[in-house]
Amino acid sequence: MTDDDSAAAPGVAWITGASSGIGAALARRMARAGWRIAASARGAGDLERLAAAAPGPGSVHAYPLDITAPDAVADAVAAIARDLGPIRQAVLNAGSHRPVDLRAPDAADFRALAELNLIGTVNCLQAVVPPMVARGDGRIAVVASLAGYRGLPTAGAYGMTKAGLINLAEAMRVELGRCGIVVQLVNPGFVRTPLTDRNAFPMPFLMEPDAAADAFYRGLRRDRFEIAFPWRFAALMKLLRLLPAPLAFAATRRMLPREDRR
C-alpha cells in the first residue's frame, strides 16, 4: 500500500484506555463505521455503559483490564480473539498524566507514568504483535502526544514517556513493516478529557473528544505514519521541535508562571 491508500474493511479493533475521553469517542466512531470493538480500561462500569450505548452497525464489547499486568493483558487478547476474532487493528491509547515540579523531583511520579504509559504499552505489544506476525497482517496505532516533541515545563515525566513512545513507534514502523504490519504514531494535542480537566493553564486549540475521534479515525484509514491533531497546534509543536535550542527554551520559558521566569 502507498501512504495515500485507505485501509481495508472493518474487522475487530482493540482499543485500550477506552472508558472515557478520546478512547471512548473513538470506540463509538469506529462502531458507527462497522467495527467490532474490544474496549479495555480499568473502569468496568464505564466500559459496560459504553458497550450498551454503542451505535451500530458495529458493536462494542467490554474487556476490563489493567495494562500494567502482563498476564492479564495476554489473557484479554486471547479472550478477544476467541470471542470476536483476530485483532486486526490495535489502538494502544491507555495512559495517564501528572504534572511534576522538577525543582523537587519525585522518582515515584516518573516510575508510575513509565510503568503505565511505556511498559503498559509494551505489555500490550507483547500480546498482540506475535499473532499479527504469524498472520502477516495487522495494524497498530501507538498513542503518544505532541508533548513528546520538546521538553515542556511541568511535563517532564509525561513528556519523557511520550517521547519514548514516539521513538518506539519509529522503530516498529520499520521492523514490523517487513512482516506486513502497519504501525502508526498518534500525537494528539489538547483534547477535553478527565485528565485535561485538571489542567489549570490555557490549552490552545482544545478539541472536543468527538472531533478528535473523527481526526483519529481518518488517520487510521490511511497508511501514513503519523496522525497528529489539531493540525494548527501540531504545526506549532513541530516548529518548536525544529528551532535551535536557545529559541526553543525562550518559547517554553513563557509557559512557566510569570514569577518563575528568569
Side-chain angles (χ1 to χ4, degrees):
M1 278 188 182
T2 69
D3 277 353
D4 292 323
D5 288 333
S6 60
V12 176
W14 179 37
I15 303 176
T16 67
S19 60
S20 63
I22 192 171
L26 181 65
R28 291 190 293 268
R29 176 66 185 86
M30 293 182 72
R32 286 204 309 273
W35 289 82
R36 298 190 304 282
I37 306 297
S40 290
R42 286 179 287 194
D46 289 336
L47 292 177
E48 293 294 348
R49 285 186 286 274
L50 175 67
S59 56
V60 174
H61 308 264
Y63 290 85
L65 174 65
D66 179 352
I67 66 168
T68 66
D71 290 343
V73 173
D75 290 345
V77 167
I80 293 165
R82 181 180 63 247
D83 299 343
L84 304 178
I87 295 170
R88 186 172 177 282
Q89 171 75 69
V91 178
L92 305 184
N93 170 69
S96 189
H97 167 65
R98 62 175 71 178
V100 297
D101 186 340
L102 293 178
R103 294 172 296 186
D106 185 342
D109 291 328
F110 289 79
R111 187 176 298 110
L113 288 184
E115 186 65 30
L116 176 58
N117 296 356
L118 275 176
I119 304 304
T121 298
V122 174
N123 289 339
C124 296
L125 291 170
Q126 179 175 260
V128 80
V129 167
M132 290 184 177
V133 170
R135 296 195 313 267
D137 174 71
R139 303 178 69 90
I140 300 170
V142 175
V143 180
S145 169
L146 293 175
Y149 285 166
R150 272 283 189 183
L152 303 177
T154 77
Y158 176 75
M160 175 191 76
T161 65
K162 295 303 185 176
L165 289 176
I166 290 171
N167 190 286
L168 173 62
E170 288 170 347
M172 290 168 55
R173 176 78 174 195
V174 174
E175 290 197 46
L176 297 185
R178 60 186 173 177
C179 303
I181 299 169
V182 176
V183 175
Q184 293 178 290
L185 169 68
V186 186
N187 282 326
F190 292 113
V191 178
R192 192 184 303 279
T193 69
L195 287 178
T196 57
D197 286 345
R198 304 175 191 171
N199 293 341
F201 53 84
M203 293 177 284
F205 308 110
L206 179 68
M207 296 184 77
E208 295 300 323
D210 286 344
D214 285 341
F216 199 144
Y217 186 57
R218 283 196 300 273
L220 291 180
R221 296 295 294 161
R222 305 172 82 80
D223 285 352
R224 288 181 178 157
F225 173 61
E226 185 180 14
I227 304 167
F229 53 85
W231 71 266
R232 287 179 294 176
F233 190 44
L236 288 174
M237 290 300 294
K238 286 176 183 286
L239 175 62
L240 186 64
R241 181 173 59 173
L242 296 174
L243 288 177
L247 292 178
F249 294 147
T252 58
R253 192 174 294 115
R254 297 178 65 84
M255 301 176 189
L256 290 168
R258 187 175 298 275
E259 62 272 16
D260 290 337
R261 298 175 194 170
R262 293 194 179 99

